[in-house]
Every structure is written in C-alpha cells, then in structure tokens.
Amino acid sequence: MQKSLYAFLICTITLFEPTLVCAKEISVMTWNIQVGQNKGLAQNNWPARKSLVQKQLVDAKADIYCLQEVSPDQKAFIAKTLGDFAQVGAGRDDGKNLGEHCLILFKKELFELSNGETFWLSDTPETCKNTWDFPFKRICTWVSFTDKKSDKKLFVFNTHFPLNPLVQEKAAMLLKERIKKVTNSQTKPLVVICGDFNCDNKSKAWKILQDTGFKPISNAKSITVMGKLVACTDTIFISKDIKATETRLHLLRSKTGTCASDHQSIETKLSF
C-alpha cells in the first residue's frame, strides 16, 4: 500500500510539473515621465527631476518599460540609464527622432523582437500629419516579441491619447482595429496596452477597449497638479489570458518637494 501511494505521488508530481514550469511572470512599468523642458514658459524643472526619474526607473526593475512624453534627449538619457534594453518608438513630429516618443524598452536577454512600429492617432495613421488633436500629434507604439524561455508571443502597445473626448473615442477605435490587425495570426493573443489615456474609467474610450475584452488593472488617480493627485488617466489594459498581481502606483519626490513627473508610474507583475 505504501509503495502504491508513493508511486501515485511521483506520477502526480510528474504530471503537474510542466504546468507549473510553463507559467510565465514578467514585470511591466508604464509611466508618463513628463517631457523635459529646460527653457521658456513650458519649462518643468527637468534638470532637478532627472535624477529622480533615473532612480524610479532603475528601482522598478521592470522587464518591459512603456514610457510616454519622452523627448529625444530623455530617450538618450533613459537608454544610458537602463543599459542592455532594446527600444522601439519613433518621434511624433517626423516619424524618426523629433518630438515626443511613446517608447517601449524591453530586456534583450528575455525577449526576441518580431515586429514593431509607431503609428499616429489620426485619419492618416501611417504618416505624421495631425488631423485630430491640434496642435498635438498623438501616437501609439507597438511591438510583438517572443519570450525566449516559454516561446510565448506577447503584443505590447504604448500610447498617449488626445485631450478631446470625441477624438479619444476615435483613438480607441483605431487602437482596437490595429490590435486586431497585428494579432490576427494568433488564436488567443496575449496583449498588454499601456498608456496615458487622458481620460478615466468612466469615459467612452475606456468602455470601447473594455467591450473589446481588455481589462484595466487600475483606475486609481495617477496625474498630479502641484504635487496633488487629481484624476485617473493612466492604466494598463490586459487581455483575458493575462493576470495582474502586485500592482502599485508610485512617484518619487525629493526632500524639497520636487516630483519626478506630473504622473505616477504604474508597476505590475503579469502572468500568462
């Protein structure tokens, strides 16, 4: 009887072990770092914020970073800060390096890049013309890559939505269509959508994404005015086969009260 029970336990462990091994967990950060301005009326204390942004990025220890409002100078600074990360994302003003970026950075040792690009939230998404949210050009960057250990394919989208509520709906519809287009080869695509949506969980734009099957992992206040939290505009949407754990919102402040950004970051662990 004891031998039979022992054999049963061994078989049970052997049968269930592959399921445990196949589970994959990654850490993701989304953050509007606030575009760096050093001069003029739009200056926002970037020299004083620089070290705070650096520390917050490093302390997050994320596998994937989705950052919004990244200027060319900040892009170079972040690349140096994070080191051996691949990055995807074009500048919104020329499709190359001018203007703000929605930047996606990921660990080269963990993921193999398959595809990726930046498109514009406008009537002409393949060009940098502005037709929806004048004077601001709005963009979305996406990547698809394969996890080297599990061989699972993951699609990540990083966006900064318009301010106009009517245009936000159009942006959500365009994003929905683009996700369908780039994931059409997958039966159950694993999709992560990060961004500053400039609207909250009660908006029609969020509802469009939720009705498509994506779940927001946070609807907490994330944007600040004079250092005080005032509204929810940032979140991470995930497809139904992804689970979020240990989510937190975070913003570093100096002893003198300087904030790293005017947005909190959202940091989470995702399993799939």
Side-chain angles (χ1 to χ4, degrees):
M1 178 65 181
Q2 288 181 335
K3 289 183 178 180
S4 298
L5 179 60
Y6 179 69
F8 172 75
L9 289 173
I10 291 177
C11 290
T12 302
I13 293 170
T14 303
L15 284 171
F16 283 96
E17 185 178 13
T19 302
L20 296 174
V21 170
C22 287
K24 176 66 181 178
E25 186 176 76
I26 59 173
S27 56
V28 178
M29 171 198 255
T30 184
W31 191 20
N32 182 330
I33 66 168
Q34 190 178 18
V35 64
Q37 300 283 355
N38 297 335
K39 299 178 181 179
L41 295 175
Q43 73 85 22
N44 53 33
N45 211 18
W46 170 239
R49 295 192 294 114
K50 200 172 184 178
S51 60
L52 295 171
V53 169
Q54 183 178 48
K55 179 171 173 52
Q56 187 157 335
L57 290 171
V58 172
D59 288 352
K61 298 178 181 178
D63 301 316
I64 302 169
Y65 293 86
C66 290
L67 307 177
Q68 303 89 42
E69 286 197 19
V70 182
S71 71
D73 288 345
Q74 288 173 314
K75 178 182 175 183
F77 173 73
I78 290 165
K80 186 176 180 180
T81 293
L82 294 180
D84 197 26
F85 275 71
Q87 60 177 245
V88 177
R92 70 183 186 180
D93 289 349
D94 68 347
K96 296 177 182 178
N97 198 47
L98 288 181
E100 295 179 16
H101 296 60
C102 285
L103 200 63
I104 300 177
L105 302 101
F106 58 91
K107 284 185 178 177
K108 297 177 184 178
E109 65 189 71
L110 296 182
F111 307 103
E112 184 71 34
L113 181 66
S114 301
N115 206 345
E117 64 178 0
T118 296
F119 63 93
W120 282 257
L121 304 178
S122 73
D123 292 318
T124 56
E126 310 308 328
T127 71
C128 55
K129 293 180 181 179
N130 185 355
T131 64
W132 283 359
D133 197 36
F134 183 84
F136 304 109
K137 296 177 180 179
R138 301 298 185 179
I139 54 176
C140 178
T141 298
W142 69 271
V143 297
S144 63
F145 42 57
T146 302
D147 176 77
K148 292 182 178 180
K149 290 186 178 180
S150 68
D151 204 37
K152 292 182 177 181
K153 194 165 189 175
L154 185 66
F155 298 85
V156 178
F157 292 77
N158 180 26
T159 189
H160 192 178
F161 265 24
L163 292 167
N164 184 326
L166 295 178
V167 180
Q168 289 165 1
E169 293 178 52
K170 293 171 71 174
M173 288 299 298
L174 177 59
L175 179 55
K176 170 186 170 181
E177 292 166 4
R178 187 57 62 104
I179 292 171
K180 183 178 180 181
K181 179 180 178 181
V182 302
T183 64
N184 63 3
S185 63
Q186 305 291 309
T187 305
K188 294 181 179 180
L190 299 169
V191 178
V192 178
I193 310 168
C194 297
D196 173 1
F197 295 89
N198 272 319
C199 54
D200 62 18
N201 59 315
K202 298 178 181 179
S203 66
K204 291 183 179 179
W206 278 46
K207 187 176 187 304
I208 288 169
L209 295 175
Q210 288 177 277
D211 288 349
T212 308
F214 299 110
K215 179 182 178 181
I217 68 169
S218 172
N219 59 9
K221 291 179 180 179
S222 57
I223 190 170
T224 67
V225 175
M226 302 296 291
K228 295 182 179 180
L229 291 168
V230 295
C232 166
T233 65
D234 309 86
T235 196
I236 300 174
F237 288 90
I238 52 177
S239 54
K240 63 180 180 179
D241 292 316
I242 301 177
K243 294 183 179 180
T245 60
E246 300 182 37
T247 299
R248 75 162 183 164
L249 280 73
H250 181 51
L251 182 62
L252 278 179
R253 301 169 189 257
S254 70
K255 292 180 180 179
T256 58
T258 299
C259 296
S261 172
D262 57 354
H263 289 251
Q264 293 197 98
S265 66
I266 301 176
E267 302 164 27
T268 189
K269 293 187 182 298
L270 303 178
S271 60
F272 48 87

